[in-house]
Amino acid sequence: MTLRWRLARAVTLLLVLSVPVTGCASIPEETNAGVIRQVEEAPETSTEAQPPSENLNDTDLVRSFLEATAEPANDYAAARLHLTEQAADSWQVPSERFIVNSVNTVPKSEPETADSVRIVGLDLHQLGKLRKDQSYVPEEKDLSLRVKVRQRSDGQWRIVDPPRKLLVASDAFKSHYRAVSVYFLDHQREGVIPDIRWVRQNPKSTLPSRVISLLLSGPSEGFDLAMKTAIPEDTTTASNVSETDDGALLVNLRDLGDLSGKKKRLIAAQVVLTLRGVRTARVELRDEGASLLSNTEVLRPSDVSEYEQQNEAPRDVKPLAVVDEKLLVFSEDSPQVPGPAGNGSYRITTAARSDDGSRVAAVVRRDDSGVELRVGAYGEELRRLGIRGNFMSRPTWRSESEFWTVVNGERVMRATRDENGSWSVSRIDASDFPGEGNIEALRISRGGTRLAAVVDGRIVVAGIAGGDSDVSLQEPVTLSGGTGDSEIKGVDWLTGDSLVAITGRDGQPVVRVSVDGFNWDSYRSSNLRNPKMVTVGPDQRVIVADDSYLWQAKDLSDYWEVLRDIPIGASSKPFYPG
């Protein structure tokens, strides 16, 4: 009985016997994630795995195997068809997938092997791994492996001992998987923020159910202490997500318990925005058959858009700029900010404005050539916080009562304001940052759950875990894999799940990077020379300064345009709130 025949028979039995799964995994309310339970996937058409092309030589067979591992259907049936029958029966598929590129196969001579057995040397570059929860994390390294293959009596080669790691060629991974944003709560539990997951594109009919399963299973491993959820413990789905007669997606939850109106609206935002990038913009959200929101039968992303507005720069708060050590409003008239911050009394080197516009934090020069930190209400005097050094990064606000900065490239300092208006300062442990740990820049995401830093010329992302009084960094990860990623000079948050960075490379002066580091995309390089600062405004408006001008662009394909309407030169430091 051939392996192919047995696999085809198993698939046929699955098609006859399969029934829908009626529940999904769940997590405790605002606690760590539980184990993901996979949604059973009914095939859209035939799922019979196809064997590798006939007459592949030994090295091409190994390459074909790395392509086939991107398709996990029926317990990696397509990949198993590249193995000998004995190896296919015994292969225990690892739970994590490692994405690789630069694959090079080289025949190895082994004097004691039979003519029908060969050793294939496999040299490749590992980019990162896909965890059990479908989140990607960069993990770069070069690998050298040896794969034994045997020629069957029909002349076809098959692998005797597959690699112990589940290796997937990056091009095949991109063809079979897609990124989706799964939404959870920000650190103040007032809005929602995206968490990137990678899911199989097919079968398309079960994609909504699989994505909702990820939502119910909680935040990804790297951010599970930073992000929370409004969905209570033990919540499941009463049925798989399905499409109604009028084309909406029906999500029927159960075991939600008694919820406040605010919790229901937050759950609605999590579900609707998570499904937005999957199938349709219309969702019927129910609690055991009844509408979750009593006054709304069908929900659209526009109905819950207010909950993700904090992922963008506010439109109603003016950006500012440091010009000649003074604070000006970044506008066509460019007036001075009221008070001593605008008249030059403080000799400001860099500054930041809170999202609500009420407060300003500034790094100012001292008489001894060092700098110190000040904070206060916009337009009023700024009080000293007792933090001094030779260098401080531009402050970054987490809320109207909390901001962070880096002192001398090594100390991450957090300033908080209590209910009485008193400010206190504490140090954040950043010892887990990689490399030598020279922190050149630091930006907190607008949802307050993550930070991005430039450390030794590379981007590092970490979760911000804990409450208001006890905060720590969760799993700092270096984003690698992009051209020029070791020459990063500045970074800012572009969206809730992507960054924009300036580099030291003339051919790629500005890049957009997904927060998991999988995608690196370049803005146009024309006109820009040696960019030295970057800030992001509403509608993903990116502003950079080089040695000559201030430039702006809104999209990767845009040509950089000189800011001619604002009379502020390239030596200035404009910034949007945050």
Side-chain angles (χ1 to χ4, degrees):
M1 182 183 297
T2 66
L3 173 64
R4 180 181 178 185
W5 188 90
R6 284 188 280 114
L7 285 172
R9 180 186 177 194
V11 170
T12 302
L13 288 173
L14 284 173
L15 293 178
V16 172
L17 299 176
S18 61
V19 294
V21 172
T22 59
C24 299
S26 61
I27 63 172
E29 181 178 354
E30 300 189 358
T31 57
N32 295 346
V35 178
I36 295 176
R37 299 173 188 166
Q38 298 296 330
V39 175
E40 186 173 333
E41 298 181 1
E44 294 187 320
T45 55
S46 173
T47 59
E48 181 177 353
Q50 298 300 312
S53 301
E54 292 186 0
N55 301 319
L56 289 180
N57 61 31
D58 50 347
T59 57
D60 286 342
L61 176 74
V62 173
R63 286 179 173 273
S64 177
F65 175 73
L66 297 186
E67 299 286 330
T69 52
E71 178 49 75
N74 301 318
D75 195 21
Y76 291 86
R80 290 181 189 274
L81 289 173
H82 289 69
L83 312 180
T84 64
E85 289 194 23
Q86 181 178 358
D89 288 339
S90 62
W91 187 37
Q92 298 295 318
V93 182
S95 59
E96 294 182 323
R97 282 144 286 183
F98 292 84
I99 316 304
V100 300
N101 66 359
S102 303
V103 177
N104 186 27
T105 50
V106 181
K108 298 287 186 180
S109 59
E110 294 287 342
E112 297 182 1
T113 58
D115 292 340
S116 61
V117 176
R118 292 182 184 173
I119 304 297
V120 176
L122 187 59
D123 296 326
L124 42 80
H125 183 69
Q126 176 182 301
L127 297 173
K129 65 181 179 181
L130 194 69
R131 291 167 163 158
K132 295 179 184 179
D133 60 12
Q134 304 299 107
S135 63
Y136 173 83
V137 59
E139 193 176 283
E140 278 200 293
K141 63 177 68 175
D142 291 324
L143 299 175
S144 293
L145 307 172
R146 296 161 66 87
V147 181
K148 181 186 290 187
V149 297
R150 176 178 290 128
Q151 193 172 36
R152 301 188 314 199
S153 58
D154 61 0
Q156 303 302 308
W157 291 93
R158 292 297 182 263
I159 296 173
V160 176
D161 55 344
R164 294 182 179 179
K165 282 186 172 183
L166 183 59
L167 306 176
V168 182
S170 59
D171 288 344
F173 178 77
K174 293 175 184 177
S175 297
H176 287 82
Y177 286 77
R178 59 179 291 187
V180 296
S181 292
V182 182
Y183 280 80
F184 298 99
L185 302 186
D186 63 21
H187 88 287
Q188 293 184 319
R189 317 294 193 268
E190 298 291 338
V192 295
I193 48 175
D195 186 18
I196 297 178
R197 307 297 182 87
W198 289 85
V199 295
R200 290 179 58 206
Q201 298 192 50
N202 292 308
K204 290 183 173 61
S205 61
T206 62
L207 183 56
S209 285
R210 287 182 278 132
V211 172
I212 290 299
S213 179
L214 292 174
L215 173 63
L216 296 181
S217 298
S220 59
E221 182 179 334
F223 302 114
D224 58 349
L225 300 179
M227 299 178 182
K228 305 299 178 183
T229 182
I231 302 172
E233 184 178 4
D234 297 329
T235 297
T236 61
T237 52
S239 61
N240 279 339
V241 179
S242 59
E243 190 169 310
T244 65
D245 292 339
D246 62 356
L249 286 178
L250 173 62
V251 181
N252 190 14
L253 302 176
R254 67 181 177 188
D255 299 325
L256 283 171
D258 294 329
L259 296 173
S260 66
K262 177 181 178 180
K263 278 288 183 66
K264 290 181 179 180
R265 291 190 295 273
L266 286 169
I267 291 173
Q270 287 185 249
V271 172
V272 173
L273 294 176
T274 295
L275 290 174
R276 175 178 55 186
V278 174
R279 177 73 62 80
T280 178
R282 300 166 60 247
V283 176
E284 287 190 20
L285 182 57
R286 298 179 184 176
D287 177 6
E288 299 191 21
S291 294
L292 181 66
L293 303 182
S294 58
N295 60 341
T296 307
E297 184 72 22
V298 177
L299 291 163
R300 295 171 173 82
S302 58
D303 296 323
V304 293
S305 61
E306 62 185 285
Y307 293 101
E308 68 168 343
Q309 287 177 354
Q310 81 285 354
N311 293 320
E312 296 185 356
R315 299 173 184 274
D316 56 348
V317 180
K318 292 287 188 181
L320 306 178
V322 178
V323 182
D324 298 329
E325 299 186 339
K326 304 174 185 178
L327 270 189
L328 306 183
V329 177
F330 189 55
S331 65
E332 294 181 2
D333 299 330
S334 301
Q336 291 183 358
V337 168
N343 64 26
S345 299
Y346 291 141
R347 297 188 295 168
I348 296 173
T349 64
T350 188
R353 188 178 190 181
S354 62
D355 269 349
D356 67 354
S358 64
R359 296 187 177 93
V360 170
V363 178
V364 306
R365 296 192 189 279
R366 300 177 64 241
D367 293 337
D368 62 1
S369 75
V371 293
E372 64 179 357
L373 192 61
R374 288 178 177 259
V375 67
Y378 176 80
E380 299 180 9
E381 292 187 5
L382 308 181
R383 58 164 293 185
R384 290 186 173 93
L385 290 182
I387 302 298
R388 299 178 179 180
N390 297 319
F391 162 80
M392 289 188 199
S393 66
R394 185 165 87 82
T396 178
W397 289 87
R398 193 176 181 221
S399 70
E400 67 275 6
S401 299
E402 178 183 352
F403 70 92
W404 298 25
T405 188
V406 180
V407 180
N408 295 338
E410 58 182 11
R411 288 184 291 147
V412 178
M413 306 302 297
R414 174 183 183 236
T416 56
R417 183 178 184 269
D418 62 23
E419 295 178 354
N420 298 320
S422 299
W423 287 89
S424 60
V425 179
S426 59
R427 183 172 179 176
I428 300 295
D429 183 6
S431 58
D432 288 338
F433 276 178
E436 297 298 323
N438 180 37
I439 308 169
E440 302 155 36
L442 186 75
R443 307 305 305 158
I444 293 177
S445 65
R446 297 192 180 277
T449 61
R450 293 176 284 205
L451 65 79
V454 178
V455 183
D456 297 331
R458 309 189 81 177
I459 300 175
V460 174
V461 171
I464 303 177
D468 292 335
S469 59
D470 184 19
V471 171
S472 61
L473 301 182
Q474 181 185 9
E475 195 176 310
V477 173
T478 301
L479 304 189
S480 55
T483 304
D485 62 349
S486 61
E487 302 179 54
I488 303 298
K489 300 192 299 179
V491 69
D492 204 357
W493 289 88
L494 184 65
T495 65
D497 53 15
S498 64
L499 304 158
V500 61
I502 53 175
T503 81
R505 296 174 60 91
D506 289 340
Q508 289 181 309
V510 186
V511 293
R512 183 181 67 189
V513 187
S514 61
V515 72
D516 63 357
F518 189 88
N519 290 316
W520 292 69
D521 301 301
S522 297
Y523 285 80
R524 289 184 180 270
S525 60
S526 57
N527 303 328
L528 293 183
R529 294 293 181 271
N530 189 33
K532 54 190 178 183
M533 63 75 56
V534 60
T535 187
V536 177
D539 299 321
Q540 301 179 29
R541 181 193 190 202
V542 178
I543 294 178
V544 301
D546 64 9
D547 293 331
S548 302
Y549 301 102
L550 290 177
W551 304 85
Q552 69 173 351
K554 290 185 178 180
D555 191 77
L556 293 172
S557 60
D558 284 355
Y559 287 97
W560 291 95
E561 176 187 357
V562 174
L563 281 174
R564 302 185 184 278
D565 297 333
I566 301 179
I568 291 177
S571 60
S572 65
K573 299 175 182 177
F575 56 89
Y576 285 86

